[in-house]
Amino acid sequence: MDQAVLGQSRVPPKITVLGNINLDFSIQVERMPERGENLVAENFELVPGGKGANQAVAAARLGAETVLIGMVGNDNYGRVLRRRLSHEAVNVKFVRSDEDAATGMAFVVVTRNGGDNRILSVLGANLNVTPDQVESAHRAFERADFLLTALGVSEVTVNRALQIAADCSLPALLDPAPLGKKPPQLWNSASVLTPNQTEASRLSGVTVQDLPSSRVAAEKLARRGISRTVITLGKDGCLLYDEDGARVIPGFRVQAVDPTGAGDAFGAALAVRLAEHATLEEAATFACAAGALACTVRGAQPSLPTREQVEELLKRTRRDKKLKITAL
Ligand code: RIB
């Protein structure tokens, strides 16, 4: 494994993130309610979240110079979230305040055994990030090593960002979540796509239910122009597909309490290591470790690991020296 992951001095990679910023209303429950059931929950917490903000904070904690393009409402929640992002060393120069819409909110229900969550988001101000706003952040694309984006802002805006990235020869990682009725037109211009199995099914038209069908879906996505597909498999790690074919990077065993934000930690970690010129296998191993650690703490941003924590897990499991890769 290269020097960058061994804690030696490195030039910080530059990551530009376009995405949503939310305040998460998170509650813990013994079990998910049945249809029509009125259940008493426990442990309510208000935590900073939103896929874009989570990815930006994760990238910053992993050592990247990070710029976030996004929108909050002109309200107290928005002001607090913006301040928190600055404290995390995320550059918020391109985060604007919307006069007409409230800060995005997400309602997160997590089961106490840590295995399961359900999220409903009200995107609010996030939907008012316009293609013009992205264009005015052109410098953040020119200076970056990687664009990281997901679908928590409007489709036209994600399209514009993918277009600018292509024009600047900037590699882009697209997490196709939350996947609406259709993906943005330019989704297949991303250089790395990180769907989960449900999203891989919808994007490829292949019913994904196991590793062989994940592989077929990834092959189909490759035929549509995706050069690197990384299908996330939760605790089982991820499936990689690129010109070298398909292989699986196994996950890390941890005591999971809340998976919220794990996918964002995964995407950010993958982008950070690819920007540091790691191989796809090295980057995916690092990303699986970051995602696993994010499951061990409640809430989205409070759970995002630091570089040191990820490196410690890799070392403890001896996967800093020897990668585990299963051929398919
Ligand atoms: O990926 C987790 C995030 O999804 C939460 O923080 C919530 O805000 C939703 O956007």
Side-chain angles (χ1 to χ4, degrees), residues 63-232:
E65 266 179 34
T66 309
V67 178
L68 175 61
I69 305 167
M71 186 80 83
V72 290
N74 184 9
D75 47 38
N76 274 337
Y77 290 159
R79 282 184 278 280
V80 170
L81 291 176
R82 181 198 282 269
R83 219 174 306 130
R84 292 289 292 264
L85 286 163
S86 296
H87 284 160
E88 293 283 350
V90 173
N91 182 335
V92 292
K93 188 170 164 206
F94 300 109
V95 173
R96 293 197 187 153
S97 287
D98 192 279
E99 292 302 324
D100 303 318
T103 295
M105 289 173 212
F107 299 86
V108 183
V109 185
V110 187
T111 53
R112 190 136 50 86
N113 66 16
D116 208 6
N117 73 354
R118 302 275 189 280
I119 304 180
L120 284 168
S121 306
V122 183
L123 288 173
N126 293 302
L127 287 176
N128 294 341
V129 184
T130 60
D132 282 355
Q133 184 181 342
V134 173
E135 271 159 38
S136 69
H138 208 278
R139 220 157 28 87
F141 287 76
E142 288 163 351
R143 290 188 66 234
D145 298 309
F146 236 96
L147 170 71
L148 185 49
T149 191
L151 307 180
V153 296
S154 73
E155 190 190 316
V156 281
T157 303
V158 176
N159 259 335
R160 189 67 193 116
L162 291 171
Q163 181 67 64
I164 296 174
D167 294 347
C168 300
S169 303
L170 173 65
L173 185 154
L174 174 66
D175 178 1
L179 188 55
K181 286 199 187 81
K182 57 183 174 71
Q185 210 186 348
L186 294 181
W187 66 274
N188 56 357
S189 76
S191 45
V192 188
L193 189 75
T194 58
N196 61 21
Q197 287 179 298
T198 313
E199 291 146 6
S201 290
R202 287 193 48 205
L203 292 170
S204 66
V206 172
T207 307
V208 174
Q209 48 205 4
D210 50 19
L211 286 178
S213 52
S214 300
R215 182 202 174 119
V216 175
E219 282 166 352
K220 204 145 180 205
L221 293 172
R223 284 200 292 277
R224 294 202 183 152
I226 301 289
S227 50
R228 286 180 290 186
T229 297
V230 179
I231 301 182
T232 55

Side-chain angles (χ1 to χ4, degrees), residues 24-29 31-33 51 54 106-120 196 256-264 294-295 297-300 303:
D24 289 356
F25 294 69
S26 173
I27 53 171
Q28 248 180 343
V29 289
R31 60 174 175 81
M32 293 294 171
K51 294 192 86 60
N54 297 345
F107 299 86
V108 183
V109 185
V110 187
T111 53
R112 190 136 50 86
N113 66 16
D116 208 6
N117 73 354
R118 302 275 189 280
I119 304 180
L120 284 168
N196 61 21
V257 297
D258 179 358
T260 313
D264 307 326
C295 293
V297 177
R298 262 201 80 189
S303 74

